[in-house]
Amino acid sequence: PNTRLRVLLDMDGVLADFEGGFLKKYRERYPNEPYISLEERRGFWVSTQYGELRADLCDKAISIWESKNFFMELEPLPGSVEAVKEMAKMKNTDVFICTSPIKHYAHCPYEKYAWVERHLGPDFLEKVILTRDKTIVSGDILVDDKPDILGPGQLAIIERNVNSALYQKILRQNVWSSVHKSNRDWIMQQDSDQKHESVEPNPSWEHVLFTACHNKHLPVSTTQRRLLSWADNWRDILEGKC
Ligand code: T3P
């Protein structure tokens, strides 16, 4: 029997500061356009919220992360590099970096490897998993800032219960308190452009939600544990799985 603990760590929003890097470069490139502060960010997809601000800002947002050096130059999130290095040295623990490249592949996959080599060292290149569907990767824990990483089996149940338009409206107006408690857990799992791209209905890992500017307002789910930052008790979360 395999008694080792396998931890999958997401990259953007968990190890690397996608949101901060995006806002900095967007404001440099489009100094006269409106922007969304990190405090006002809602919903996982940056381009969706920019498109709601003004339709043409969706493409302007996309132009930022499709540019050369965007992924390479992201800053590590506070404490992330130290935490990963320490975690990888723990006994009976295997750490992998499980990250989705954008479909515009000219720069992103190369730069993700380069980022790992630069910040974590060449040995970590062995640990990189690039996949657009994390549900087919097996592990004990997936630490990820995306709220809804689910297979279609679970989503089919959810879809029968809530209306996605309602969720979008709630997210925009930030009126969670008016939603009946029993509906919130269902609703919070609706924000998925990619939901039909997940293949495995019952992934082996437990998804631990890493707190980010876009997800910190979502209600605490009864089923989902959170890691607030790398200063939070990540050792306890691993401990609970051994
Ligand atoms: P990761 O799996 O490392 O979190 O979508 C491709 C990658 O870019 C994925 O990386 C998530 C990240 N990303 C965001 O975090 N926000 C966005 O708005 C977009 C478009 C991508």
Side-chain angles (χ1 to χ4, degrees):
N2 184 8
T3 54
R4 296 180 69 81
L5 185 75
R6 187 182 306 154
V7 184
L8 309 172
L9 299 175
D10 171 41
M11 199 165 167
D12 297 316
V14 172
L15 303 182
D17 185 12
F18 183 100
E19 292 276 347
F22 166 78
L23 186 56
K24 181 168 173 283
K25 291 200 167 170
Y26 174 88
R27 293 192 64 186
E28 283 166 7
R29 181 147 166 199
Y30 303 111
N32 301 317
E33 298 293 11
Y35 65 91
I36 295 160
S37 69
L38 298 185
E39 268 306 301
E40 298 165 312
R41 279 278 297 115
R42 298 289 186 282
F44 181 76
W45 301 106
V46 173
S47 45
T48 303
Q49 197 181 1
Y50 275 75
E52 284 167 2
L53 187 59
R54 214 179 67 210
D56 64 301
L57 298 181
C58 179
D59 283 348
K60 286 189 164 140
I62 292 168
S63 77
I64 299 300
W65 55 77
E66 289 192 347
S67 294
K68 188 168 175 359
N69 291 333
F70 175 78
F71 286 95
M72 177 93 86
E73 291 175 357
L74 294 180
E75 295 292 338
L77 279 162
S80 68
V81 167
E82 297 76 9
V84 178
K85 287 181 175 171
E86 183 182 334
M87 197 184 291
K89 285 187 198 140
M90 287 168 61
K91 73 173 193 323
N92 299 325
T93 306
D94 295 316
V95 178
F96 290 88
I97 296 165
C98 188
T99 179
S100 304
I102 59 172
K103 289 184 200 167
H104 178 82
Y105 55 78
H107 315 293
C108 177
Y110 162 76
E111 292 184 17
K112 280 180 174 288
Y113 279 98
W115 192 99
V116 166
E117 183 174 52
R118 178 169 162 191
H119 293 285
L120 296 168
D123 290 352
F124 268 91
L125 294 172
E126 305 281 354
K127 306 296 180 186
V128 175
I129 301 168
L130 292 190
T131 176
R132 298 273 303 170
D133 185 349
K134 298 179 189 182
T135 67
I136 60 168
V137 180
S138 70
D140 299 295
I141 295 179
L142 169 66
V143 181
D144 202 306
D145 64 312
K146 190 171 190 282
D148 52 351
I149 309 168
L150 293 172
Q154 290 143 298
L155 278 157
I157 301 166
I158 292 162
E159 274 167 8
R160 272 183 251 123
N161 288 275
V162 284
N163 165 335
S164 175
L166 170 66
Y167 173 59
Q168 294 299 332
K169 188 175 163 201
I170 288 164
L171 263 188
R172 277 199 298 279
Q173 298 181 350
N174 195 22
V175 287
W176 271 107
S177 54
S178 68
V179 179
H180 192 274
K181 175 85 182 77
S182 64
N183 286 329
R184 290 185 197 163
D185 286 1
W186 296 108
I187 290 169
M188 69 176 285
Q189 297 177 71
Q190 276 291 295
D191 186 28
S192 176
D193 292 353
Q194 297 190 320
K195 55 197 170 195
H196 298 296
E197 293 177 18
S198 298
V199 165
E200 173 55 58
N202 297 111
S204 58
W205 33 254
E206 174 197 350
H207 176 201
V208 174
L209 184 64
F210 194 85
T211 295
C213 58
H214 59 78
N215 72 27
K216 69 180 177 196
H217 305 85
L218 294 176
V220 178
S221 158
T222 47
T223 50
Q224 199 166 44
R225 293 197 286 171
R226 268 189 189 258
L227 195 58
L228 300 175
S229 73
W230 285 111
D232 195 10
N233 59 345
W234 62 264
R235 292 173 198 83
D236 295 349
I237 284 179
L238 266 53
E239 196 73 18
K241 282 297 203 184
C242 291

